[in-house]
Amino acid sequence: MKYILTFLIILVGSNIRLSTNKTYSSTGHEQFSEIVLINEEAFIIHNLSESEINASLKTLKGKLFGTREKEFNSFEDCTYVSNTIFSRSNKTREEYAFTYDTSTITYSSVSVSITGSLNVKGVFKGKSKEISAGGTLTGTKETEDYIKNTEAGTLTVVIYPNKKVTLRIVGEAKISNGVQKKFFLGICMKKGAWEVVNVISTCYELLEEDA
Amino acid sequence: MVCFVSIFFFKKSNNIQVCAYTYPYSVVSSVDVIDDIRIEVLINSKDSFFSNINNISSSYLISDDGMLNLSIKRIDDSADKISYKNIDFYVYNYIFTINFSPSSNYELLLKDVKLGLNFTNGLNSEILIGSFSYYKYLDNKNDITISTLKTISKQDNFDSDFYGFQIGIRNINEEEIIIKNIYLLDTNINSCQVCLIDEIEDISLNAIFHNKLQLNYQNLDTKIMNLEIIRLAFKLEYSNYEYSEGLRSVGLKIVYLIDGIENVYYFEKFTFFQTNYYPIDYSLIIYEYASN
């Protein structure tokens, strides 16, 4: 009896969604304020409703051990806008120079977003290989530290009266997403939607607007 | 039943194999700044003598165009691993300080430059690393500001690379200014196609240059009245594209006239484009050294 009770506790526990304090993101990925897919038929998980995700999960048949997965999009091209690095306004009557240390700018070259009870590491390792198919060079990361620093240096800008200067990162990326279920002894232990964004290129943008 | 058991002894090569991607390295800064430079070196062995900073007695950059002494500051293991010709290479970042402090404007352009390392065991290694463009300036004028910089990273297809940029320049001087030249401070960028544009837009390169009057890159001859902005689009023409893949941070030098007198404004390196993927289909030179 106690074994059945233990088993039921494990089964229930693995499907409980832990509530976590997440910062709001308009894309589901904290570092991206905007993601635009080139293929109009592709989509990001953030734009799916919970009922749509659940409906897709229901199409995954059970198995004894392992993973069932349905991939919606695989390495789809997209452009992104990252969160603003700095934005300075000048409401005085004189222009002033502002110097920013660009070596402090970091960004993730791979961003993973999950819903449900999926494990980030499990999704991360499977979808974050460098894309170099067909080439003579292949690269992989030995660690999970995909945080990159931009080149060391300083950026000095002069902010004109009643103007605002913004520095942000934009670029191109590839998105893969889908739904997944993980089974143990025929019981679904983890399930949810996943999405991985592989950043391909980054560009700084310096923009001046009215303050 | 007789069982034959064969034991093969493989003698592992003890040689260190080293190579490096060829990048367009550059430095743009004022004369009172001490510069660091980061150079990627690929080594087939972890924690070898080659990546031990204590083994390096001196370092330098050298090409047919000149030489520059360096001081090794530190060596970082990037944790990247690259497979090339069935050899696993570990990527190390060698950080050097440039041992040179000019007292006035200075330019040094090294094409086909090699990183030279002298080791305490007597080994001298010189590895081709690409090109190095070195610009130092004494004084920066405050007659103009760069209000906008936007990379153009693709042409009409989704081919991602650094093809050009859009720039907005504001005249904050009381007098009229004539922009003569805007140079990209990298020895691999030969020239540019330039046109005047009305707005900075998110648009492909060919669309920007469609039906636009092109300016002469060698003499832009474009006026900016007081407090006005001009906007220009640049389409790059590389003299050596082989060194131009990967990271692309470039400084700008703007030459302009006020009342017929020439002035110069330097804008330090701006990351126009950076790719996260190591180049494919690359031909790297592998240098081999005894491991002791």
Side-chain angles (χ1 to χ4, degrees), chain B residues 21-82:
Chain B
Y21 292 110
T22 48
Y23 281 139
Y25 294 97
S26 67
V27 168
V28 180
S29 64
S30 68
V31 295
D32 53 7
V33 169
I34 298 172
D35 303 297
D36 286 350
I37 178 173
R38 176 177 66 91
I39 297 173
E40 277 186 350
V41 178
L42 282 59
I43 308 172
N44 72 330
S45 175
K46 275 261 191 189
D47 302 322
S48 67
F49 83 93
F50 210 94
S51 60
N52 184 339
I53 192 173
N54 297 319
N55 293 336
I56 298 173
S57 57
S58 65
S59 47
Y60 54 92
L61 294 176
I62 191 166
S63 82
D64 291 342
D65 307 302
M67 181 178 169
L68 196 63
N69 283 321
L70 308 171
S71 291
I72 183 78
K73 195 170 173 181
R74 67 175 195 274
I75 300 174
D76 296 334
D77 183 351
S78 75
D80 276 354
K81 188 169 76 172
I82 301 294

Side-chain angles (χ1 to χ4, degrees), chain B residues 26-28 107 109 133 135 149 162-167 181-194 217 220 233-239 248-255 265-267 269-270 272:
Chain B
S26 67
V27 168
V28 180
E107 292 184 6
L109 305 177
S133 308
Y135 301 87
L149 270 176
F162 179 33
Y163 289 107
F165 63 96
Q166 301 170 69
I167 183 171
N181 308 96
I182 300 178
Y183 296 114
L184 275 79
L185 299 180
D186 188 294
T187 183
N188 299 292
I189 297 171
N190 194 35
S191 179
C192 295
Q193 294 181 38
V194 190
Y217 178 69
L220 297 175
F234 282 71
K235 184 176 181 180
L236 274 53
E237 292 176 355
Y238 292 100
S239 60
R248 252 175 307 294
S249 296
V250 181
L252 300 174
K253 175 179 168 183
I254 302 175
V255 180
Y265 175 80
Y266 286 88
F267 191 77
K269 285 173 64 173
F270 188 79
F272 284 99

Side-chain angles (χ1 to χ4, degrees), chain A:
Chain A
M1 181 63 186
K2 64 178 178 182
Y3 294 114
I4 296 172
L5 200 61
T6 306
F7 182 73
L8 285 171
I9 290 171
I10 294 170
L11 176 63
V12 171
S14 66
N15 281 297
I16 289 175
R17 290 187 189 187
L18 296 173
S19 64
T20 55
N21 290 326
K22 291 185 181 177
T23 54
Y24 173 75
S25 165
S26 57
T27 60
H29 299 267
E30 278 185 30
Q31 76 170 15
F32 303 119
S33 62
E34 191 180 319
I35 294 176
V36 177
L37 285 146
I38 304 303
N39 178 0
E40 290 178 355
E41 294 179 9
F43 52 86
I44 61 174
I45 293 295
H46 192 74
N47 292 341
L48 292 181
S49 65
E50 197 166 329
S51 58
E52 285 172 316
I53 293 174
N54 288 335
S56 295
L57 282 166
K58 280 182 182 170
T59 64
L60 299 177
K61 294 179 182 176
K63 62 191 297 187
L64 196 59
F65 292 101
T67 302
R68 286 273 190 221
E69 184 174 88
K70 178 181 180 181
E71 200 168 58
F72 299 136
N73 299 289
S74 178
F75 296 115
E76 285 286 344
D77 292 326
C78 67
T79 59
Y80 68 87
V81 177
S82 78
N83 296 324
T84 299
I85 297 170
F86 71 74
S87 188
R88 292 289 178 103
S89 297
N90 180 0
K91 301 215 172 151
T92 70
R93 292 182 185 179
E94 300 288 330
E95 63 264 9
Y96 76 86
F98 165 63
T99 299
Y100 190 85
D101 181 2
T102 55
S103 64
T104 62
I105 300 170
T106 60
Y107 65 95
S108 293
S109 58
V110 180
S111 177
V112 179
S113 173
I114 57 166
T115 67
S117 52
L118 289 180
N119 180 277
V120 172
K121 277 191 180 180
V123 172
F124 184 79
K125 278 184 178 169
K127 310 290 178 189
S128 58
K129 288 283 176 67
E130 307 283 338
I131 302 167
S132 57
T136 57
L137 279 167
T138 57
T140 60
K141 286 278 186 176
E142 285 201 315
T143 72
E144 291 173 1
D145 179 14
Y146 278 69
I147 303 297
K148 280 186 176 275
N149 279 78
T150 55
E151 188 168 312
T154 57
L155 179 68
T156 301
V157 294
V158 175
I159 308 173
Y160 200 69
N162 297 316
K163 294 293 179 186
K164 178 174 76 171
V165 170
T166 300
L167 182 70
R168 64 182 191 179
I169 290 178
V170 299
E172 290 142 358
K174 289 193 185 280
I175 280 191
S176 304
N177 53 31
V179 289
Q180 192 181 90
K181 279 183 176 177
K182 292 187 182 294
F183 294 91
F184 181 75
L185 290 176
I187 298 168
C188 177
M189 305 300 286
K190 293 181 189 295
K191 64 178 181 180
W194 60 268
E195 186 167 78
V196 177
V197 180
N198 286 271
V199 173
I200 293 177
S201 66
T202 55
C203 310
Y204 285 176
E205 270 191 1
L206 186 68
L207 301 171
E208 184 188 79
E209 303 164 291
D210 292 330

